Amino acid sequence: DAHQMSASTAGIDDPLQFTLDGDSQQKIKWMHGGKKLTIGTDTSEWIGAVTNDGTNLFVQFEEETASGSNNVQAKKVGHSIVYSSLKSLSELSFNFDYDSYTSINLNILADHIGSTYAVSKIIYQDNPFGNIWILDTNGSMFGLTRDSLFKVSAWHSHQIGGTSVTVTDFCVDNKTLYLIVKRTVNAVVKYYMEKLPLSAVTNSHPSITSEIFLDCQKNSTAASTTAWSGFSHLASTTAQSLSGTLTGDSALPSVEFI
């Protein structure tokens, strides 16, 4: 029986141990708290709560979906839970049409994501665009701009500049995505903290003429040069330089960072 409702002999201040009453033995892969506790196992997803009457504790959980989860911490996105299922990146939410929780495949139109290399981490950046960021075991980074209210989903991949580069971890803080990047520079492995700031066009800043949408860029009004200093993490990397206005850029010789 997927429904479990029982009284515990433990007091309301005591630790609690219980077993999910499924059809088979399941391994818990992640848990996410809130008004209710959501649990992902290797075969299904459970939602429930632990309540009390002032003396006894009551445990009630129901097996809602049967997608099965990987060992990756799920994230709350709006009123949904986004998690790495066995086949895809999935979203668990309540469906009023079915009067129950359902899981949908978020990368049904981008099934290459997670197919070769497994998802290793999921984070959510609400401001400014509502991006779900995915890191895989190969050190590649993907983003999903998601608006569940209007049922809009747009996948985008992000390649970090340089050679022999992998992203090992990331986190978000307000409008900035911070990356821990592993780079091999002159045969030496080094780790750097790099950031990807995001901004949006607002009423107070309606123009984007001053924005430069590049993964890595440097502005300068100095005299022309073919070598830049202060970029040790990009040593021996060749990049393209541009000069001119937004309507008349011209390519200059390649620049080597030293």
Side-chain angles (χ1 to χ4, degrees):
D1 185 6
H3 180 79
Q4 177 172 319
M5 181 71 173
S6 59
S8 169
T9 57
I12 59 175
D13 294 327
D14 295 332
L16 180 65
Q17 179 176 338
F18 61 92
T19 301
L20 296 174
D21 190 15
D23 295 332
S24 61
Q25 186 176 13
Q26 303 177 23
K27 294 181 179 180
I28 293 177
K29 298 297 185 178
W30 54 264
M31 294 188 293
H32 194 285
K35 291 183 178 180
K36 293 185 177 181
L37 179 63
T38 307
I39 299 176
T41 74
D42 55 352
T43 61
S44 57
E45 291 72 47
W46 297 71
I47 296 179
V50 178
T51 59
N52 70 85
D53 60 1
T55 303
N56 299 308
L57 291 176
F58 296 91
V59 180
Q60 182 177 5
F61 279 83
E62 293 187 18
E63 189 176 25
E64 297 289 354
T65 60
S67 299
S69 296
N70 292 315
N71 191 26
V72 179
Q73 179 58 45
K75 286 295 179 181
K76 183 176 179 61
V77 178
H79 298 290
S80 305
I81 300 292
V82 173
Y83 65 99
S84 174
S85 67
L86 298 181
K87 296 182 179 180
S88 64
L89 187 73
S90 295
E91 182 182 65
L92 178 67
S93 60
F94 189 83
N95 189 313
F96 288 94
D97 293 333
Y98 296 101
D99 194 28
S100 65
Y101 286 88
T102 59
S103 284
I104 62 172
N105 184 346
L106 291 179
N107 60 316
I108 191 171
L109 298 179
D111 55 3
H112 60 286
I113 298 176
S115 61
T116 303
Y117 299 99
V119 173
S120 62
K121 189 171 184 179
I122 303 170
I123 60 175
Y124 179 60
Q125 185 177 21
D126 180 64
N127 192 11
F129 304 117
N131 285 325
I132 302 170
W133 295 102
I134 309 298
L135 184 66
D136 70 16
T137 54
N138 190 47
S140 299
M141 186 175 69
F142 305 92
L144 172 62
T145 303
R146 172 75 171 155
D147 189 326
S148 57
L149 178 62
F150 295 101
K151 301 186 183 302
V152 174
S153 297
W155 281 97
H156 34 96
S157 61
H158 296 263
Q159 296 182 353
I160 306 302
T163 57
S164 302
V165 176
T166 57
V167 180
T168 61
D169 202 355
F170 55 15
C171 64
V172 294
D173 178 19
N174 197 10
K175 295 182 179 180
T176 302
L177 175 68
Y178 292 92
L179 314 174
I180 302 299
V181 181
K182 175 183 176 183
R183 296 181 179 273
T184 302
V185 180
N186 296 326
V188 178
V189 175
K190 297 184 178 182
Y191 291 86
Y192 298 90
M193 175 176 285
E194 304 177 16
K195 64 180 181 179
L196 177 63
L198 298 176
S199 60
V201 178
T202 63
N203 291 332
S204 58
H205 297 87
S207 175
I208 61 171
T209 56
S210 62
E211 300 287 354
I212 300 177
F213 295 99
L214 298 174
D215 291 332
C216 182
Q217 56 88 14
K218 178 179 178 68
N219 298 335
S220 176
T221 57
S224 299
T225 181
T226 58
W228 289 104
S229 60
F231 289 87
S232 59
H233 66 292
L234 296 177
S236 302
T237 298
T238 299
Q240 190 67 50
S241 60
L242 293 175
S243 176
T245 65
L246 289 174
T247 58
D249 293 339
S250 59
L252 296 180
S254 297
V255 176
E256 182 176 351
F257 298 110
I258 59 176

